[in-house]
């Protein structure tokens, strides 16, 4: 390791490395590393781990490296391989693109470090049952990269369950090492890692960054057709002309449109293809080509992406990050801006663009919270009955049959399910037996996977617990271009943009779910599923603080200044205070500006509906639009403030399409479906606190 560090010409270790290395080497603690992107977290974890496992890693798997993305595994494989250059530690990767021969070779002789996704770990339990004891018994460390991406999600529940199941085969409990650039609520993270001994989980946080952040915001107004103005693209082109950049968009269709238009501008400068599209619906070979091109290019190139490049996939040194319209979370913007400034001595550079008033306001709020060093705290995924259903099928397959008592004990000992009531687990198992997801073997009294369970288990969709839309595969001849959502209503003759190129749809094969295309000269971005994500209460509060204040922001263009000034006018004219929430009343409707988080806004919608108010719609910024109400809305708000709310009050007015949904939700008993909905979407205490701590004013604009 010392020789390798010498080769890398490091003159010193980074702060996170200095603090982490002694903890990993000298203690037996689990460790969570939290520091800025490009601060050396990977080396901070692996330098000491490699030193500790070097002597006995040739014949046993010692480290399981868990990554949220296959592409991140491919990137980190070479990085970790370089660190192991002078050791005898083998490095392996396991995901859908690794050949069966390589996998079989590893299974016969597991050794060193294995890089893998949660879905592939699941596959090992299902398809390599006879090998898992030999595979897992020597594991000493489990390294979880981008751990923040797991904590709050159903995928994180699956991962934590799998890690508990791995522990049943290891000779000693593996130490968990988590890496993240954006994480908060460390107490919850400690519980996720090791609820039995949270004191043995060391949090190592390197606050702040040596990098200086340079940032600016440009606002461009869109017309009634909502098309992005040419001037915006021209500014993007100017900013990226001499630099390598990532341009982040919130929608896949927006990525496609932006890529094509920027390449049109680049053509006028007589340069070749300069901008590349990158998102989850583009074929992986095309994405890998883009990543490689960005790394190897000696001339300025830019990639236009969704969150597909938010995590640490290597595309070389990025000079500037651009964000088109606001991210929905502060942690997402922080993660994205951390992609720039990786060169030694370089600053982080962020260029924000907004195209609508709401996006401008939200962008300012999110940016100001970044500057205040606030990020959303981790919340976890409480009472994950839906993932329990999935894991019960997986466990029964792994065990080749299990008695009811053994299965219940297995779940009780599982880290992520330990606090579930035994009666609820039994109810779900009984429901699974009734619906043939599980089956009881007569005589032996053992539970195995039933016929309907086998139908789910044998689907290629089983290994992933998150929902994904039904899609068409798009091909030019035999070349895979990417996918289109079936809900996008594509038709023969349509001209579309996909992978940053223009195509005409020639044939749609509905039986095989394939669309065949040829090159075209124009096209429109396809429609993909997905809408606004939830926002935290603090972002809503920050937005009204901005509207009520006179604070001037020196990182704006003039259009942004004038637009914000115009948005502030009604709040200043009526002397609105940050703690007030306004209901703007006109002849035809009432607009309730809630300025809170998405969960509170949903709960307020149901509460008002239960009090007889007709809710027309609710937007992503938390405005509740009320129409056809002839009573005194102030009296309704007073009733809402005074009422002792019960969950049933909101449930009885909740429409079916507003219910919580997840991939395995529909397989649960109805009462547990409702309970999962309540846990996931209703927070009476939060709503009541909101109603009690704010004053509400009706302003009549008639």
């Amino acid at each position: 390791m010392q020789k390798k560090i010498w080769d890398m010409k490091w003159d010193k270790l980074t702060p996170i490395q200095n603090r982490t290395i002694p903890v990993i080497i000298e203690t037996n603690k689990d460790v969570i590393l939290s520091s800025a992107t490009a601060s050396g977290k990977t080396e901070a974890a692996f330098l000491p781990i490699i030193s500790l496992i070097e002597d006995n890693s040739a014949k046993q798997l010692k480290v399981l490296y868990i990554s949220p993305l296959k592409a991140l595994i491919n990137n980190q494989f070479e990085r970790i391989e370089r660190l192991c250059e002078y050791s005898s530690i083998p490095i392996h990767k396991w995901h859908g693109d690794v050949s069966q021969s390589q996998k079989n070779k590893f299974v016969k002789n597991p050794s060193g470090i294995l890089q893998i996704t949660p879905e592939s770990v699941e596959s090992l339990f299902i398809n390599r049952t006879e090998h898992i004891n030999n595979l897992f018994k020597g594991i000493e460390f489990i390294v979880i990269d981008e751990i923040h991406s797991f904590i709050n999600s159903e995928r994180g529940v699956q991962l934590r369950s799998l890690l508990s199941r791995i522990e049943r085969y290891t000779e000693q409990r593996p130490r968990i090492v988590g890496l993240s650039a954006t994480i908060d609520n460390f107490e919850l993270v400690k519980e996720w890692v090791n609820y039995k001994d949270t004191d043995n989980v060391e949090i190592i946080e390197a606050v702040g960054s040596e990098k200086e952040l340079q940032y600016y915001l440009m606002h461009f107004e869109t017309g009634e057709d909502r098309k992005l103005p040419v001037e915006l693209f021209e500014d993007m082109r100017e900013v990226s002309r001499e630099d390598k950049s990532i341009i982040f968009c919130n929608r896949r269709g927006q990525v496609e449109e932006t890529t094509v238009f920027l390449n049109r501008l680049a053509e006028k400068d007589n340069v070749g293809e300069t901008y590349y599209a990158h998102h989850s619906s583009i074929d992986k070979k095309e994405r890998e080509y883009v990543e490689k091109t960005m790394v190897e290019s000696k001339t300025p190139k830019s990639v236009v992406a969704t969150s597909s490049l938010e995590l640490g996939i290597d595309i070389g040194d990025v000079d500037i990050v651009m964000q088109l319209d606001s991210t929905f979370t502060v942690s997402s913007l922080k993660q994205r801006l951390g992609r720039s400034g990786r060169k030694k001595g370089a600053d982080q550079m962020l260029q924000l663009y907004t195209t609508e008033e709401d996006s401008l306001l939200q962008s300012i709020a999110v940016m100001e919270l970044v500057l205040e060093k606030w990020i959303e705290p981790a919340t976890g995924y409480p009472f994950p009955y839906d993932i329990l259903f999935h894991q019960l099928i997986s466990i029964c397959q792994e065990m080749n049959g299990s008695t009811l008592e053994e299965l219940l004990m297995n779940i009780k000992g599982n880290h992520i399910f330990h606090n579930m009531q035994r009666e609820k687990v039994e109810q779900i198992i009984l429901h699974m037996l009734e619906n043939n997801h599980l089956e009881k073997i007569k005589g032996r009294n053992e539970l195995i996977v039933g016929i309907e369970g086998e139908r789910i288990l044998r689907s290629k969709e089983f290994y992933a617990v998150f929902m994904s839309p039904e899609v068409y595969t798009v091909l030019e001849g035999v070349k895979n271009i990417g996918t289109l959502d079936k809900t996008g209503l594509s038709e023969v003759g349509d001209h579309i943009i996909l992978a940053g190129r223009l195509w005409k749809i020639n044939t749609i094969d509905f039986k095989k779910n394939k669309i065949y295309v040829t090159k075209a000269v124009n096209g429109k971005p396809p429609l993909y599923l997905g809408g606004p994500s939830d926002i935290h209460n603090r972002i809503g509060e920050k937005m009204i603080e901005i509207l009520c204040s006179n604070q001037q922001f020196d990182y704006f263009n003039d259009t942004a200044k004038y637009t914000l000034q115009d948005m502030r006018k009604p709040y200043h004219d009526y002397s609105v205070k940050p703690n007030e929430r306004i209901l703007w009343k006109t002849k035809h409707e009432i607009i309730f500006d809630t300025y809170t988080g998405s969960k509170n806004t949903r709960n307020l919608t149901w509460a008002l509906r239960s009090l007889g108010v007709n809710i027309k719609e609710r937007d992503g910024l938390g405005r509740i639009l009320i129409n056809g109400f002839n009573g005194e809305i102030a009296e309704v708000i007073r009733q809402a403030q005074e009422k002792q709310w019960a969950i049933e009050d909101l449930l009885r007015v909740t429409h079916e399409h507003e219910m919580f949904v997840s991939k395995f939700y529909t397989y649960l008993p109805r009462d547990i479906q409702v309970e999962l909905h309540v846990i996931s979407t209703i927070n009476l205490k939060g709503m009541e606190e909101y109603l009690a701590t704010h004053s509400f004013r009706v302003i009549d604009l008639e």
Side-chain angles (χ1 to χ4, degrees), residues 46-75:
F46 274 100
L47 289 175
I49 287 173
I50 289 167
S51 298
L52 289 171
I53 68 167
E54 184 174 6
D55 292 340
N56 55 2
S57 64
K59 294 184 178 180
Q60 273 193 333
L61 175 62
K62 289 295 173 184
V63 180
L64 203 61
Y65 165 96
I66 308 284
S67 167
L69 299 172
K70 289 191 294 186
L72 200 53
I73 285 176
N74 295 336
N75 276 176

Side-chain angles (χ1 to χ4, degrees), residues 641-652:
Q641 289 176 303
E642 294 177 356
K643 184 177 174 65
Q644 296 294 310
W645 287 98
I647 286 169
E648 291 71 24
D649 296 324
L650 305 191
L651 281 179
R652 64 183 172 81

Side-chain angles (χ1 to χ4, degrees), residues 240-245 271-274 276 293-302 319:
S240 59
R241 187 185 301 275
E242 304 296 334
D243 291 313
K244 184 180 286 189
S245 64
V271 295
E273 189 175 27
T274 304
Y276 301 92
T293 300
M294 290 292 292
V295 169
E296 295 177 352
S297 176
K298 304 300 181 186
T299 59
K301 300 278 185 185
S302 296
D319 300 302

Side-chain angles (χ1 to χ4, degrees), residues 48 61 166 247 255 307 310 318 394 396 457 469 668:
L61 175 62
I166 286 170
I247 302 166
V255 166
S307 57
E310 190 172 292
V318 173
S394 179
C396 284
L457 178 67
L668 298 170

Side-chain angles (χ1 to χ4, degrees), residues 37-49:
T37 304
S39 60
K41 291 186 294 295
T42 302
E43 289 79 9
F46 274 100
L47 289 175
I49 287 173

Side-chain angles (χ1 to χ4, degrees), residues 404-542:
L404 175 61
E405 192 58 36
E406 285 171 345
L407 197 53
L408 289 168
M409 290 299 292
N410 196 318
I411 295 303
K412 183 64 180 175
N414 190 297
H415 193 103
I416 204 73
F417 302 125
H418 75 277
N419 60 350
M420 282 190 177
Q421 294 178 7
R422 180 186 171 103
E423 294 77 16
K424 285 280 167 57
V425 179
E426 284 192 58
Q427 183 187 353
I428 291 171
I429 293 172
L430 180 61
H431 188 74
M432 292 174 74
L433 285 165
E434 290 171 353
N435 289 277
N436 210 13
H437 294 121
L438 296 180
E439 180 183 334
K440 183 179 283 187
I441 303 297
K442 292 177 182 177
R444 293 169 57 187
N445 224 22
E446 285 190 345
L447 305 182
I448 62 169
V449 180
I451 297 298
E452 292 305 312
E454 291 280 4
R455 197 186 308 279
I456 297 168
L457 178 67
R458 293 174 185 231
S459 164
K460 64 179 181 180
E461 302 296 326
F462 178 79
Y463 305 108
V465 294
F466 51 86
M467 295 180 74
S468 53
E470 291 188 53
V471 297
Y472 293 111
T473 300
V474 180
L475 300 115
E476 181 194 22
V478 296
K479 182 184 178 183
N480 193 332
I481 309 299
T483 61
L484 296 179
D485 288 1
K486 284 190 174 182
T487 52
L489 303 175
S490 301
E491 296 181 2
V492 171
D494 282 356
H495 287 66
I496 61 166
I497 312 172
L498 185 59
R501 295 179 179 88
L502 305 164
W503 310 98
K504 178 185 177 183
I505 296 177
N506 288 334
T507 309
I508 302 178
D509 187 333
F510 294 101
K511 289 184 179 179
K512 295 184 178 178
N513 296 324
K514 292 181 178 180
I515 290 178
Y516 292 91
V517 298
T518 53
K519 290 182 173 64
V521 294
N522 62 1
K524 294 181 178 179
L527 294 173
Y528 288 104
L529 283 177
S533 297
D534 283 359
I535 65 170
H536 190 275
N537 292 351
R538 185 70 192 98
I539 295 176
E541 292 163 1
K542 193 68 180 177

Side-chain angles (χ1 to χ4, degrees), residues 39-162:
S39 60
K41 291 186 294 295
T42 302
E43 289 79 9
F46 274 100
L47 289 175
I49 287 173
I50 289 167
S51 298
L52 289 171
I53 68 167
E54 184 174 6
D55 292 340
N56 55 2
S57 64
K59 294 184 178 180
Q60 273 193 333
L61 175 62
K62 289 295 173 184
V63 180
L64 203 61
Y65 165 96
I66 308 284
S67 167
L69 299 172
K70 289 191 294 186
L72 200 53
I73 285 176
N74 295 336
N75 276 176
Q76 295 286 44
F77 182 84
E78 294 177 7
R79 188 174 178 183
I80 297 170
E81 195 173 44
R82 286 195 298 271
L83 289 178
C84 294
E85 183 179 359
Y86 299 121
S87 74
S88 57
I89 301 173
I91 320 293
H92 311 273
K93 53 186 173 181
W94 187 301
H95 52 62
D97 300 335
V98 176
S99 70
Q100 284 300 319
S101 62
Q102 286 178 278
K103 290 177 178 177
N104 291 337
K105 186 178 177 182
F106 172 77
V107 167
K108 289 176 183 175
N109 297 292
S111 59
I113 299 169
L114 177 65
Q115 296 178 281
I116 195 167
T117 62
E119 292 73 26
S120 290
V121 176
E122 187 77 67
S123 175
L124 287 174
F125 277 108
I126 300 297
N127 301 311
R128 309 276 180 163
T129 307
E130 68 277 18
H131 296 291
I132 53 180
N133 183 51
N134 187 48
L135 274 174
F136 296 148
K137 66 180 180 182
I139 294 176
E140 296 180 25
F141 290 93
I142 296 173
V143 179
I144 306 174
D145 206 353
E146 309 287 1
I147 192 172
H148 65 275
S149 68
F150 293 112
I151 297 292
N152 296 339
S153 71
E154 62 266 65
R155 202 174 178 213
V157 177
Q158 177 191 24
L159 172 59
R160 197 61 195 83
S161 173
L162 293 169

